Amino acid sequence: MADRKELLDRLCAEIDAVFAENDVLSGIGTFDQEEIMAAVKAKGEQTDSPCVCGAHVMCNNAIEGAAVHMVKDGNRVEFSGLEELNKKDILMDIPFAGCEAVEDKICRVKPEYIEDGEWQDVDKTRNQGKDKETLKYQSSYMVCTKGWGIIYFKNAGQVAKNYADKMAAFLDNLQEQFGFDERTVGILGQIYREIHEKYEDRDERDRDWMFARALSQMAGYNNKRATLEIGGIEIFGMETHAWRRGAGWVFEYKYECEKEFFCDTLGIDEADYKYMRFWVRLQHLITSNYEGEYTYDAVCKLKEKDEEEFQGWKANMEQGLDRTLSDGEYLRLFKQAYDTVNQKGDFSHMLYTIAANLKDEGHGVENEWDNSLAPETSWSSADERKDVAGWLGDAVYDGDDGKISFGEDDYIADLDADNIAHFAAGGQSLVDAANEYYSGLKENGEEYRTELFVKNNTYEKVESDILKRLKLWDVNEDGTIDYKDLSQSKIHVDTYNFLVRLKEYE
C-alpha cells in the first residue's frame, strides 16, 4: 500500500492536471459555482486520507466543501507548510466551493480583495525580510473584502476559527438589528479590526471605546448647541460641548479631521469610507426621524415643495454611492432604505451611549458637569454621566421645543447600549458583549430587552432618578409621588410611557 506522501503527491498531480488548462494557480477564480463545487467534490472523493500540510485554509463564508491550499512563488505549499509563508503570501491555488455572502454564491478570491493585501495578526518577532513577517499558526487570518469573509488555517486550532465566528456573528447582528447592507457592515468590521491592530498598545476596552465613539461622532453626536429663542427669533447660541463631556472625542469636530482618521490613520478606502458614512448617517436620520422629516412620503413631498433641497439630498446619496442617480432611482433607493431601517434602533445613538459607558476618564470626558442651560442633564459622578448619556437624558431633557422626545428608536438604542455595557463591565470585549446580548434577544424575544434592563438597574432606581430630576410634586394628590403624576403631562408623555413599559417587569 502506498504511503501517505506518495498518495498525496499523486493526488496533487491529478488536481494540477484538472485545473492546468484554466490557469487557476494564479489565484484568480474564473469558474462558475457548479464547476468549482464539482472539482472540490471530485478532489475529496479521490482519497480518504486527509491533507496533512500546514497551509490549508478555510473561510467562514465559504459554502461547505474542502479547504484549499496556499500558494508561494507559483507553487502549492504542501509539506513544509506554514514555515514557508509570510504576511504577503496571500494567493490560493483554487477558489473556495462558493461564497454565502454574495448574491451569485461564486467565490472570487483575488489579491486585490484581500484587506490590506496581507495576513493580519502576524508574528512581528520573526520575518523573511523587510515587511515580510511570518504567520502565527493559531491566529493569523486574512479578510476577503468581496464578501467580508475571514480566511484562516484549517488546522490552526480554535483561536482563529473562534475569532472568525465571533466577528461573523457581530456583523450579522449589525445587519439584522440596524438594517445595514453587507458592504456597510463589512466596512464597520474593517474599522473595528484596524483600530484593534493599529492601537494594540492600548487595552481592549479603550480600543472598543474608540470604535464606538468614532462612529457616533461621525454620525452627528458631536457638540450640542444650546439656543435661546424669543418669539421664534434666536437671540444667542452657546456651545455646550455636551457630547464631548459625556463620552470624549476621537478626532476634532471637523470633516477633514474625521476623514483623516478613517482614511489616513486607519487606511479605510475613501470610497468605502464615504459609502459607510452615508448609510450610518442616513440610518440615524431615518430612525430618529425628527418631526417626520425623513419618512419616504416627506421626501416625495419635498421634491414637489423644494426642488433645490431635494436635489441636495439626492446629491448626498450620489456622493455616498459614487454614482449619478435619476430622481426615480433616488426615491426607489430611499424607500428601500426607509422600509428596511424604519422602527429599528438608532445605531449611532446606541454607540454614543456605549462609548460613554466604556470610558471612565480621559479623552475629554468630564465626570462632573453643571449644565446651566439644561440643569436636569447635569451630573456629578461617572455613573450619573453614563445614565444621562442614555436613558436618563432622554427621559428628562425636553429639548428646544419643550417636550420630551423618547421614541422607539431611542428606547431600543438606550436599553441595548445599557445591556451591552453591563456585559462588557464583566470584562468582555464589545464584540463578545454584543454577541451575547443579541443571542439572548433572539432566543427570548423582544421582551428580553426590557427585562434585562430592569434587572440591571431596578425599576425603583430608574423611576426615582427620573422624578428627582424633574422635581415632580404630587400632581394627582394621591399621597405618593410616582410615575402616575406624569400621566396628564403634555410635556412628559414619552417619559410616562417609558416608565409604564418598565413597570411591567418590576
Side-chain angles (χ1 to χ4, degrees), residues 86 138 155 269 275 290 293 491 498:
N86 63 60
Q138 288 191 314
N155 300 322
D269 179 79
Y275 185 90
Y290 181 68
E293 186 179 9
I491 296 174
F498 172 61

Side-chain angles (χ1 to χ4, degrees), residues 140-198:
S140 292
Y141 65 91
M142 294 189 292
V143 180
C144 172
T145 61
K146 189 67 177 178
W148 298 102
I150 297 177
I151 300 166
Y152 55 93
F153 291 104
K154 180 180 179 182
N155 300 322
Q158 287 300 304
V159 177
K161 184 179 186 306
N162 286 348
Y163 180 79
D165 289 345
K166 78 176 185 179
M167 284 303 299
F170 181 60
L171 299 187
D172 286 346
N173 284 325
L174 295 186
Q175 196 166 7
E176 181 177 344
Q177 297 297 325
F178 303 102
F180 293 126
D181 64 4
E182 191 79 36
R183 182 180 175 187
T184 301
V185 299
I187 299 165
L188 294 174
Q190 183 183 4
I191 292 169
Y192 185 87
R193 290 188 297 273
E194 295 291 354
I195 286 175
H196 279 253
E197 172 77 16
K198 294 184 183 301

